Amino acid sequence: MRDRDYHLGISAYYHDSAAALVRDGVPVAAAQEERFTRRRHDSSFPANAVRFCLAEAGIGLSDLASVTYYERPDLKFRRTLSSFASAGPRAIGAFGRIAPDWFGWKRDALAVVDGELATLGLGTAPKARAIEHHRSHAASAFFPSPFESAAVLCIDGVGEWHTTTIWHGKGSALELVNSVSYPHSLGLLYSAFTSFCGFKVDSGEYKLMGLAPYGEPRYADLIRREIIALRPDGSFTLALDKFEFLRGERMIGEAFASLFGGPARDPESKLTQRECDIAASIQAVTDEAVLGLARAAKEMTGEDALCMAGGVALNCVSNGHVSRSGLFSRLWVQPAAGDAGCALGAALDTAITGTGRRVPAQPDAMKGAYLGPDFSDEEIVAYLEEAGHAHQRMPEEDLLDAVSRHLEQGAVVGWFQGRMEFGPRALGARSILGDPRNTEMQRTMNLKIKYRESFRPFAPSVLEEDAAEYFEVREESPYMLVVSPVAEAIRVGPTPRRSLGAINEVRSTLPSITHVDLSARVQTVTEARSPRYARLLRRFKALTGCPVLVNTSFNVRGEPIVCTPQEAYRCFMRTEMDVLVLGSCLLVKAEQAPLVEDVDWRAEIPLD
């Protein structure tokens, strides 16, 4: 079946393993391994994700033109050795723990990938090749974008050596323009503060971002003076004596803590105003640094459009500052901006640079990020009937009417439609929905549905044609990766207090999606990308006058977003959700038999 040009990309063995398949330079399928194994941030070889991608295209491994791994193991090995050598005797303990892996299988990760693919029994794959980590990020950002040419900015913790790169994308070519190398890293800096505030590195950074608006940036000048030097040309350096990560044991130590008046917060202990102010301070510095890098990208490439990827590109607050700065006419952020997206970038880079063929797609080539598994109504009905779950299958018009009425009456709705999203955001395929006008919705969703911290904000989905009426958006935001202020017209009350005491204050006519700083992480929705979700928003608007819904991911704390109807039903029954919509089927909680489980599942939720 080589009439088409299929390329497989793989990201594995660090965190958020994933696989992606590209056909003729266009994404066909992509998914994180965690969605299949149900292990959050699963780092194992993405065997299930590979199987899914091949099945989606109806091919085997023998039909592939290439397999591309998302980073260069040889370069990463050299950086690891160099880091420990520079750290001296204090790093001996950590080096002893990781050396066996690095002198063993990690040095030859490509052979491991080849072996894992062979065990799938799906044919013979081409030998895996590798490209550099930041090139994978850059390819994931530029090649699916709608631009013929653009500046490309990639910021993360660290790849092999690079932590920040600026690229120039033109047609089917990607040229590295400038870079910052390890150990100087915005991603590691933000992770250090994530750890200091008591959240888990590589998964709690979004909590730190959500906490920041409750504080004042009292420590921002201290951070600029003592921890990071920001230069006018966009470059930066860290004060390495304040960090411990070079020695491999932990992110920070006493030298760091002494700057902030005491030790790090213990995970799960009570948050104080100090953590809020620290979060606000590092967010302000990060905003400044990212904007400086965007300015440098503009100056170095002369381009009027910007593409972004890398873990720091998931910081939608900083993205909002870039968008509103007016530096670029358009901003496009890869929805799977973290390491999972590198699987897609690796496949795209091989496919497009190898052939020299790329045609920019409109509105982009990501298909709304709906690249994961889907389930037909027939499959859903068969599952529900076999399990004996009470349900009603409805024509779409009746379904949308019923769901809108439930939402208007205060119900929390699990919404499961079509292909699962690729990346960390729920975009209306695996979502939990609510009425944003309801003053209790944020508290209800956090404490009774998501089982997470009460300070965490929720994001709005809004019909794109109505977005400017409710939010100060500068451009479309289909992937929920830009924070924007809510519009003046919907603000109410006095200027909010920036403290934890302001959590329950009403700040707008859409209180459940308005953060304490009068902002929201907006998703703009169109029928072109999300047909049924857009029609639900339109029906809710016809009923209530409001074209906005609360949209949060369909999962509970510590678990990945649901993938299958069975997982959606289990999550529905484990929580205080009121209604579940699986395709065209509507299920009401009051009509369901009790879910019988042998364990208290909430006691098993890992901290994240």
Side-chain angles (χ1 to χ4, degrees), residues 25-26 142-150 169-172 330 352 357-366:
V26 178
F142 176 61
F143 288 138
S145 79
F147 311 131
E148 176 61 36
S149 64
K170 291 184 288 186
S172 61
R330 292 187 67 188
I352 290 174
R357 296 194 303 270
R358 172 184 178 257
V359 179
Q362 298 295 333
D364 60 49
M366 287 300 294

Side-chain angles (χ1 to χ4, degrees), residues 8-14 17-20 43-47 50 54 61 64 66-73 104-121 123-131 343 346:
L8 181 69
I10 290 174
S11 166
Y13 307 131
Y14 180 50
S17 292
S43 63
S44 63
F45 180 79
V50 170
L54 296 175
L61 291 169
L64 295 174
S66 72
V67 174
T68 308
Y69 189 60
Y70 79 122
E71 65 181 8
R72 292 268 305 274
W105 69 271
K106 282 191 174 182
R107 288 182 67 188
D108 202 13
L110 293 183
V112 177
V113 169
D114 290 336
E116 292 282 3
L117 290 173
T119 65
L120 296 180
T124 302
K127 289 289 185 183
R129 63 187 292 271
I131 65 171

